[in-house]
């Protein structure tokens, strides 16, 4: 992997280009480019964005999990490939009253996935990983947090996801519409 961090305009804009070769026996290899940008508009406000290509080969369990009668692997799986894009805002303050390291982030993401790998119910009593074909995943993620009294930390994240199969417009199985932590 090769990565750089280029600072411009008195470090108010950072570009982070990268290129990685990912090779796996039996699946060949792929070049995976990525570029990220962070613009500091004010000391407490940053805009961030990323574009990257991802590639994931099926893991050992997805390929070869023994047939247990209710769950099995699928040696016919193809790798999952995607283009992932996101853009967001970050607000932050080192200190605000008794609170330290306050932050709030909001981001929009869009992923175009080819041959998504999902565990599917293939019969009334059998689950198996399958390639679903092309899918689009997009949504928003919000997160925030702070520290107080130097020993208490709080953080929260919420994600809304709209994941659909491109061929039918049906929801992509196995993906929650909303998650919070």
């Amino acid at each position: 992997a090769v990565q750089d961090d280029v600072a411009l305009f008195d470090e108010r804009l950072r570009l982070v280009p990268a290129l990685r070769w990912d090779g796996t026996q039996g699946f060949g290899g792929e070049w995976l480019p990525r570029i990220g940008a962070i613009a500091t508009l004010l000391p407490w406000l940053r805009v961030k964005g990323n574009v990257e290509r991802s590639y994931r080969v099926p893991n050992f369990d997805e390929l070869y999990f023994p047939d247990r009668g209710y769950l099995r692997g699928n040696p016919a799986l193809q790798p999952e490939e995607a283009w992932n894009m996101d853009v967001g805002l970050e607000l932050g303050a080192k200190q605000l009253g008794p609170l330290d390291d306050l932050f709030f982030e909001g981001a929009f993401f869009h992923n175009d996935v080819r041959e998504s790998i999902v565990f599917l119910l293939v019969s009334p009593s059998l689950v198996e990983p399958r390639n679903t074909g092309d899918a689009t995943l997009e949504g928003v993620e919000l997160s925030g947090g702070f520290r107080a009294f130097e020993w208490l930390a709080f953080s929260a994240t919420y994600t809304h996801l709209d994941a659909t199969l491109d061929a039918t417009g049906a929801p992509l199985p196995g993906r929650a519409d909303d998650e919070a932590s």
Side-chain angles (χ1 to χ4, degrees):
V2 178
Q3 181 172 313
D4 200 1
D5 190 334
V6 180
L8 304 168
F9 308 111
D10 200 25
E11 298 193 15
R12 294 179 68 78
L13 176 63
R14 288 182 41 222
L15 300 176
V16 184
L19 181 63
R20 185 179 92 216
W21 172 257
D22 191 357
T24 306
Q25 185 177 359
F27 291 99
E30 296 286 328
W31 286 102
L32 303 173
R34 176 180 72 200
I35 188 161
I38 302 171
T40 302
L41 304 179
L42 297 166
W44 51 270
L45 176 62
R46 299 191 315 176
V47 177
K48 300 193 265 185
N50 296 284
V51 175
E52 73 175 320
R53 183 168 181 275
S54 64
Y55 176 80
R56 183 179 84 80
V57 298
N59 66 38
F60 189 82
D61 285 344
E62 290 168 335
L63 290 168
Y64 305 114
F65 195 86
D67 189 344
R68 302 281 191 215
Y70 57 89
L71 177 65
R72 70 175 176 211
N74 180 356
L77 288 173
Q78 296 299 309
E80 182 177 284
E81 300 178 38
W83 278 98
N84 308 312
M85 296 151 266
D86 64 77
V87 63
L89 290 173
E90 177 185 295
L91 305 170
K94 262 321 224 184
Q95 188 168 22
L96 186 63
L99 306 178
D100 296 319
D101 299 327
L102 279 86
F103 73 94
F104 175 78
E105 293 184 42
F108 168 79
F109 59 88
H110 176 93
N111 303 330
D112 289 318
V113 182
R114 188 175 149 263
E115 294 303 338
S116 173
I117 299 170
V118 175
F119 278 86
L120 296 174
L121 188 63
V122 295
S123 77
S125 61
L126 179 63
V127 175
E128 176 183 87
R130 295 271 176 104
N131 289 109
T132 63
D134 295 348
T136 300
L137 292 78
E138 59 184 24
V140 294
E141 184 167 271
L142 304 172
S143 62
F146 61 85
R147 284 186 323 107
F149 312 113
E150 295 188 24
W151 53 269
L152 177 65
F154 172 81
S155 65
T157 302
Y158 167 76
T159 304
H160 174 74
L161 175 65
D162 182 23
T164 57
L165 296 168
D166 291 353
T168 63
L172 185 63
R175 309 282 193 203
D177 291 341
D178 298 283
E179 290 185 32
S181 65

